[in-house]
Structure formats: C-alpha cells, structure tokens
C-alpha cells in the first residue's frame, strides 16, 4: 500500500506541472497545441452558396469540448440536414471528420493542411457493387474572408475526379 501512495503523489505532481499551464493553480488547456487551431478559419455562422450565387444552405461551425473538437450543423436549402465532428487526432497526427446526415449517409475523412487548405479524404462503398467511391473535401480561406469548400469524388480509384459540391461560405451578420 505504501507504493500506491508514492504513485499517487507522483501523478499529482505531474498533473500540477503539465505543459501549457496558463497560471499556477489553473488546469492546463487540453487542446492548446497549435494544430488544434489549424481549422479555426471555418468556425462561424455561414450562408452557403454555389459559385453562381444560389443559396445551398446554412452552416454553423463551432468549437466544442473545451476547444478540442469542431461541430458542424448543416441545414440544406432543400431540407437535408447533417452534422460533422472534426478533431485533430494528436496520436495519429491527422485531422479526422465524421459526417452523418438526414439521408442516412456516413462519411469518415482523414487528412490535414495542404498548402493552406484543409484537405480531408475518405472512401465509401458504391451502390450496386460498383467500385469504391473516393472522396476529397477541401476548405480554403479566401482573401475576402469567405471560405470555399470543394467536394470531389472519383469512381475509378482516383484517376479522374468530378466536383460533387462547390460551396462559398459567407459569414452571417
């Protein structure tokens, strides 16, 4: 039992001296590393249009869980709704997103920053036994403060790609 007290004491000392602690007596921020802020440009309340200016929906993006994750709440102009949870998976050193929507879709994406754009990729089984569908979704902050999202799909293993969705995010006032 004596060794359990030593272990407890060591654990308490380690917890009190964790890196990133703001001030003495305050707990260390859990997700304070700079990687957790790489996707912050997407946070906000947005009107989403296609490149021609047609409204596609609205999207609310917010940091949750003490800044450790990003939650997306999509409301499409035609009634489809969806949510995603996005996190920097520190142990894997990648960004991960899980998307679900009111059509019953599930999309799992992994990736990270590429030339200033957040680029996430994943695969889904194709209907009717066809080849796997490859997905690539990128988000890019534009000079005027908007965000451009491009969702591309490939049905031939990545040889050719087609745009499934191109959205321009404009901040709501």
């Amino acid at each position: 039992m004596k060794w359990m007290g030593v272990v407890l004491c060591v654990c308490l000392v380690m917890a009190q001296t964790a890196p990133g602690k703001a001030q003495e007596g305050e707990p260390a921020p859990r997700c304070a590393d700079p990687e957790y802020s790489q996707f912050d440009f997407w946070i906000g309340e947005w009107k989403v249009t296609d490149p021609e200016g047609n409204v596609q929906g609205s999207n609310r993006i917010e940091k949750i869980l003490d800044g450790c994750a990003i939650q997306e709440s999509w409301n499409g102009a035609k009634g489809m709704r969806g949510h995603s949870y996005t996190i920097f998976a520190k142990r894997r050193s990648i960004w991960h997103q899980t998307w679900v929507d009111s059509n019953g879709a599930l999309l799992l994406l992994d990736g990270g920053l590429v030339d200033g754009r957040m680029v996430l990729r994943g695969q889904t089984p194709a209907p009717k036994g066809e080849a796997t569908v490859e997905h690539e979704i990128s988000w890019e902050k534009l000079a005027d403060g908007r965000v451009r999202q491009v969702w591309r799909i490939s049905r031939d293993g990545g040889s050719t790609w087609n745009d499934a969705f191109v959205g321009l995010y404009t901040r709501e006032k």
Side-chain angles (χ1 to χ4, degrees):
M1 290 301 254
K2 186 176 183 180
W3 62 270
M4 289 176 71
V6 171
V7 170
L8 178 61
C9 181
V10 169
C11 289
L12 289 173
V13 168
M14 290 177 67
Q16 291 174 354
T17 59
K21 186 160 71 169
Q23 293 182 359
E24 193 61 36
E26 291 183 9
R30 291 182 193 99
C31 301
D33 293 339
E35 293 88 354
Y36 288 95
S37 298
Q38 291 174 335
F39 209 179
D40 284 2
F41 66 87
W42 193 37
I43 294 170
E45 294 199 30
W46 306 91
K47 175 177 75 173
V48 183
T49 61
D50 64 18
E52 291 76 37
N54 301 306
V55 175
Q56 300 299 302
S58 63
N59 216 349
R60 180 180 184 158
I61 315 300
E62 58 189 319
K63 279 239 177 149
I64 60 169
L65 302 175
D66 300 323
C68 293
I70 297 172
Q71 178 179 341
E72 172 185 18
S73 299
W74 168 259
N75 287 297
K78 296 181 181 176
M80 194 272 285
R81 297 174 326 280
H83 292 275
S84 75
Y85 293 93
T86 308
I87 187 168
F88 178 70
K90 187 171 178 87
R91 290 185 182 148
R92 296 171 57 207
S93 293
I94 62 166
W95 278 89
H96 171 81
Q97 183 178 90
T98 298
W99 163 267
V100 295
D101 65 35
S102 60
N103 291 331
L106 168 67
L107 187 57
L108 305 173
L109 304 166
D110 290 321
L113 279 181
V114 177
D115 297 326
R117 296 179 306 132
M118 182 60 69
V119 180
L120 303 178
R121 296 180 178 99
Q123 300 177 337
T124 56
K128 303 174 192 160
E130 298 169 12
T132 300
V133 178
E134 306 279 335
H135 300 265
E136 178 185 273
I137 305 177
S138 65
W139 295 261
E140 175 183 16
K141 182 178 180 181
L142 303 176
D144 62 7
R146 294 181 302 163
V147 172
R148 177 181 22 234
Q149 177 184 355
V150 179
W151 179 1
R152 304 182 324 143
I153 61 170
S154 174
R155 297 182 186 279
D156 59 10
S159 295
T160 60
W161 292 87
N162 294 304
D163 289 345
F165 178 79
V166 177
L168 293 172
Y169 285 62
T170 303
R171 287 191 188 277
E172 294 282 9
K173 300 293 179 205

